[in-house]
Amino acid sequence: MKIQGSVALVTGANRGLGAAFARALLAAGAAKVYAAARAPSTVAEPGVVPVRLDVTCPDQIEALARELGDVSLLVNNAGIGGASPVLALASIDLLQQQIETNAVGPLRMTQAFAPIMAASSNSAVINVISALSWATLPGVTSSYSASKAAAWALSNAMRQELKAQGTEVLSLHVAFMDTDMARGVPGDKTSPDEVARLAITALEAGQPELLADEVTRSVHAGLTAVPPMYLGMLG
Ligand SMILES: NC(=O)c1ccc[n+]([C@@H]2O[C@H](COP(=O)([O-])OP(=O)(O)OC[C@H]3O[C@@H](n4cnc5c(N)ncnc54)[C@H](OP(=O)(O)O)[C@@H]3O)[C@@H](O)[C@H]2O)c1
């Protein structure tokens, strides 16, 4: 997909990677960037069009799709983290919230905007997933990893089904980024601005999937290692 002249809608665009996507898309020549946020007053990026959206509210999604008839690029970025040891009772509530936000949200958004993107000869969806769709950090990411594994499977299904209408789908897998979500995580983190730029380059090159950093590439390679990395992480 070509970004020049496109009209983008970025969810969770008030901070973190979403704000970085909004900046990078404008810099790459997008004609318009709708910056969706639960509280649009918190959108600070110059040049974007703030819109209200909670991705867990079907009514808001439907209303936005009626309002924004020119969207050609949907960036499903909004997401929530949170630690969840698998045996903690609270993990079930967190799993339900994360599935609703991280997997069902992007699915509802894609269902609502697919007919709009079908009208464009240059359209795409970017799904922000995670290296943790393929691995679980013991005692920490059971439910988050489950929600991102669901998002990965849905992203692959979207690519298969949207092909018929010419809409491309890019799955973006990334490890830790320097945003609020990973604030408590020690060690090196990737800049969200760099990740957004890499994703735009990958989209313009027609790639179906981006493994945005070395950690993500190593986790991905670990799927076919002997023994596979996900078994090692459980032990
Ligand atoms: N940070 C990392 O290390 C990392 C690594 C891999 C993948 N990711 C993924 O990258 C994406 C962006 O995360 P981030 O690092 O930028 O995190 P962040 O700084 O915590 O930002 C999360 C964004 O999602 C929004 N959001 C959360 N729930 C929402 C909802 N129900 N409706 C609409 N917006 C909602 C937040 O809005 P509010 O301001 O209203 O809360 C915020 O704008 C997420 O999908 C995350 O899972 C992050």
Side-chain angles (χ1 to χ4, degrees):
M1 182 197 182
K2 291 278 157 280
I3 301 301
Q4 189 71 40
S6 65
V7 176
L9 167 60
V10 183
T11 67
N14 52 320
R15 59 193 174 98
L17 180 61
F21 258 117
R23 276 192 293 281
L25 287 164
L26 283 177
K32 200 190 290 181
V33 174
Y34 295 113
R38 290 190 279 202
S41 61
T42 60
V43 173
E45 290 306 314
V48 302
V49 181
V51 292
R52 182 179 303 280
L53 178 68
D54 182 327
V55 299
T56 65
C57 289
D59 292 351
Q60 282 190 19
I61 292 175
E62 283 162 29
L64 201 63
R66 281 194 298 273
E67 197 185 317
L68 310 183
D70 54 355
V71 169
S72 57
L73 170 61
L74 169 63
V75 183
N76 282 317
N77 163 78
I80 54 170
S84 59
V86 78
L87 294 182
L89 286 182
S91 288
I92 292 175
D93 281 347
L94 187 56
L95 173 64
Q96 286 167 339
Q97 289 164 25
Q98 287 169 330
I99 290 278
E100 198 57 37
T101 307
N102 300 348
V104 179
L107 177 57
R108 283 194 210 280
M109 287 295 292
T110 304
Q111 287 181 348
F113 282 88
I116 295 165
M117 292 185 288
S120 169
S121 56
N122 178 49
S123 63
V125 178
I126 298 178
N127 290 313
V128 179
I129 313 181
S130 174
L132 290 169
S133 53
W134 299 315
T136 309
L137 298 179
V140 184
T141 69
S142 65
S143 60
Y144 180 78
S145 290
S147 72
K148 289 295 186 177
W152 175 49
L154 288 167
S155 188
N156 290 330
M158 285 174 201
R159 186 177 307 105
Q160 290 161 347
E161 292 192 32
L162 292 178
K163 191 173 183 196
Q165 67 171 52
T167 301
E168 295 168 28
V169 176
L170 173 70
S171 298
L172 163 56
H173 294 264
V174 58
F176 293 116
M177 288 183 291
D178 194 7
T179 66
D180 293 339
M181 188 179 284
R183 192 163 295 281
V185 179
D188 289 346
K189 294 173 211 164
T190 313
S191 139
D193 289 297
E194 175 64 9
V195 172
R197 276 195 299 273
L198 287 172
I200 288 170
T201 302
L203 189 65
E204 294 211 297
Q207 282 179 226
E209 187 170 77
L210 171 64
L211 313 184
D213 51 52
E214 201 43 56
V215 172
T216 301
R217 287 187 283 275
S218 146
V219 171
H220 184 261
L223 289 170
T224 53
V226 181
M229 182 184 271
Y230 53 87
L231 293 184
M233 291 184 105
L234 290 172

